mmCIF file of all heavy atoms in Angstrom:
data_model
loop_
_atom_site.group_PDB
_atom_site.id
_atom_site.type_symbol
_atom_site.label_atom_id
_atom_site.label_comp_id
_atom_site.label_asym_id
_atom_site.label_seq_id
_atom_site.Cartn_x
_atom_site.Cartn_y
_atom_site.Cartn_z
ATOM 1 N N ASP A 168 68.671 110.686 91.455
ATOM 2 C CA ASP A 168 68.358 110.375 90.062
ATOM 3 C C ASP A 168 67.540 109.092 89.973
ATOM 4 O O ASP A 168 67.866 108.095 90.621
ATOM 5 C CB ASP A 168 69.648 110.200 89.261
ATOM 6 C CG ASP A 168 70.557 111.419 89.335
ATOM 7 O OD1 ASP A 168 70.024 112.540 89.312
ATOM 8 O OD2 ASP A 168 71.789 111.230 89.415
ATOM 9 N N ALA A 169 66.495 109.124 89.172
ATOM 10 C CA ALA A 169 65.658 107.937 88.991
ATOM 11 C C ALA A 169 66.344 106.927 88.083
ATOM 12 O O ALA A 169 67.102 107.286 87.179
ATOM 13 C CB ALA A 169 64.311 108.333 88.397
ATOM 14 N N ARG A 170 66.056 105.671 88.320
ATOM 15 C CA ARG A 170 66.564 104.598 87.460
ATOM 16 C C ARG A 170 65.551 104.241 86.379
ATOM 17 O O ARG A 170 65.560 103.137 85.829
ATOM 18 C CB ARG A 170 66.912 103.364 88.296
ATOM 19 C CG ARG A 170 68.159 103.547 89.154
ATOM 20 C CD ARG A 170 68.499 102.287 89.930
ATOM 21 N NE ARG A 170 68.721 101.134 89.075
ATOM 22 C CZ ARG A 170 69.879 100.856 88.455
ATOM 23 N NH1 ARG A 170 70.915 101.661 88.595
ATOM 24 N NH2 ARG A 170 69.992 99.768 87.704
ATOM 25 N N THR A 171 64.701 105.183 86.062
ATOM 26 C CA THR A 171 63.711 104.982 85.015
ATOM 27 C C THR A 171 63.291 106.348 84.483
ATOM 28 O O THR A 171 63.751 107.385 84.973
ATOM 29 C CB THR A 171 62.490 104.211 85.547
ATOM 30 O OG1 THR A 171 61.627 103.869 84.447
ATOM 31 C CG2 THR A 171 61.706 105.047 86.552
ATOM 32 N N SER A 318 58.430 110.127 91.734
ATOM 33 C CA SER A 318 57.252 109.295 91.984
ATOM 34 C C SER A 318 57.540 108.266 93.069
ATOM 35 O O SER A 318 58.675 107.781 93.211
ATOM 36 C CB SER A 318 56.839 108.567 90.700
ATOM 37 O OG SER A 318 56.419 109.481 89.719
ATOM 38 N N ARG A 319 56.514 107.925 93.819
ATOM 39 C CA ARG A 319 56.656 106.921 94.869
ATOM 40 C C ARG A 319 57.069 105.577 94.282
ATOM 41 O O ARG A 319 56.578 105.149 93.241
ATOM 42 C CB ARG A 319 55.321 106.733 95.604
ATOM 43 C CG ARG A 319 55.053 107.780 96.651
ATOM 44 C CD ARG A 319 53.821 107.381 97.449
ATOM 45 N NE ARG A 319 53.566 108.301 98.544
ATOM 46 C CZ ARG A 319 52.604 108.133 99.444
ATOM 47 N NH1 ARG A 319 51.808 107.068 99.356
ATOM 48 N NH2 ARG A 319 52.421 109.011 100.413
ATOM 49 N N GLY A 320 57.973 104.927 94.975
ATOM 50 C CA GLY A 320 58.384 103.593 94.582
ATOM 51 C C GLY A 320 59.482 103.534 93.536
ATOM 52 O O GLY A 320 59.999 102.451 93.254
ATOM 53 N N VAL A 321 59.852 104.667 92.967
ATOM 54 C CA VAL A 321 60.903 104.670 91.955
ATOM 55 C C VAL A 321 62.266 104.482 92.620
ATOM 56 O O VAL A 321 62.557 105.122 93.635
ATOM 57 C CB VAL A 321 60.876 105.983 91.146
ATOM 58 C CG1 VAL A 321 62.107 106.113 90.257
ATOM 59 C CG2 VAL A 321 59.608 106.064 90.310
ATOM 60 N N GLN A 322 63.081 103.612 92.082
ATOM 61 C CA GLN A 322 64.426 103.421 92.614
ATOM 62 C C GLN A 322 65.294 104.630 92.258
ATOM 63 O O GLN A 322 65.276 105.111 91.123
ATOM 64 C CB GLN A 322 65.047 102.147 92.045
ATOM 65 C CG GLN A 322 64.349 100.882 92.507
ATOM 66 C CD GLN A 322 65.104 99.633 92.085
ATOM 67 O OE1 GLN A 322 66.334 99.656 91.973
ATOM 68 N NE2 GLN A 322 64.375 98.545 91.867
ATOM 69 N N LEU A 323 66.048 105.099 93.251
ATOM 70 C CA LEU A 323 66.842 106.313 93.095
ATOM 71 C C LEU A 323 68.317 106.035 93.350
ATOM 72 O O LEU A 323 68.659 105.092 94.070
ATOM 73 C CB LEU A 323 66.341 107.394 94.052
ATOM 74 C CG LEU A 323 64.867 107.809 93.931
ATOM 75 C CD1 LEU A 323 64.479 108.734 95.076
ATOM 76 C CD2 LEU A 323 64.608 108.476 92.592
ATOM 77 N N GLU A 324 69.154 106.853 92.781
ATOM 78 C CA GLU A 324 70.599 106.716 92.937
ATOM 79 C C GLU A 324 71.252 108.057 92.595
ATOM 80 O O GLU A 324 70.564 109.026 92.260
ATOM 81 C CB GLU A 324 71.128 105.627 92.003
ATOM 82 C CG GLU A 324 70.932 105.958 90.520
ATOM 83 C CD GLU A 324 71.342 104.826 89.598
ATOM 84 O OE1 GLU A 324 71.649 103.733 90.099
ATOM 85 O OE2 GLU A 324 71.327 105.037 88.363
ATOM 86 N N ASP A 339 64.979 97.036 86.307
ATOM 87 C CA ASP A 339 63.994 97.782 87.108
ATOM 88 C C ASP A 339 63.412 98.944 86.329
ATOM 89 O O ASP A 339 62.628 99.713 86.864
ATOM 90 C CB ASP A 339 64.643 98.289 88.398
ATOM 91 C CG ASP A 339 65.875 99.142 88.138
ATOM 92 O OD1 ASP A 339 66.474 98.983 87.051
ATOM 93 O OD2 ASP A 339 66.223 99.955 89.007
#
Side-chain angles (χ1 to χ4, degrees):
D168 303 321
R170 288 182 58 83
T171 188
S318 295
R319 279 188 176 185
V321 170
Q322 293 188 31
L323 302 172
E324 64 185 7
D339 56 337

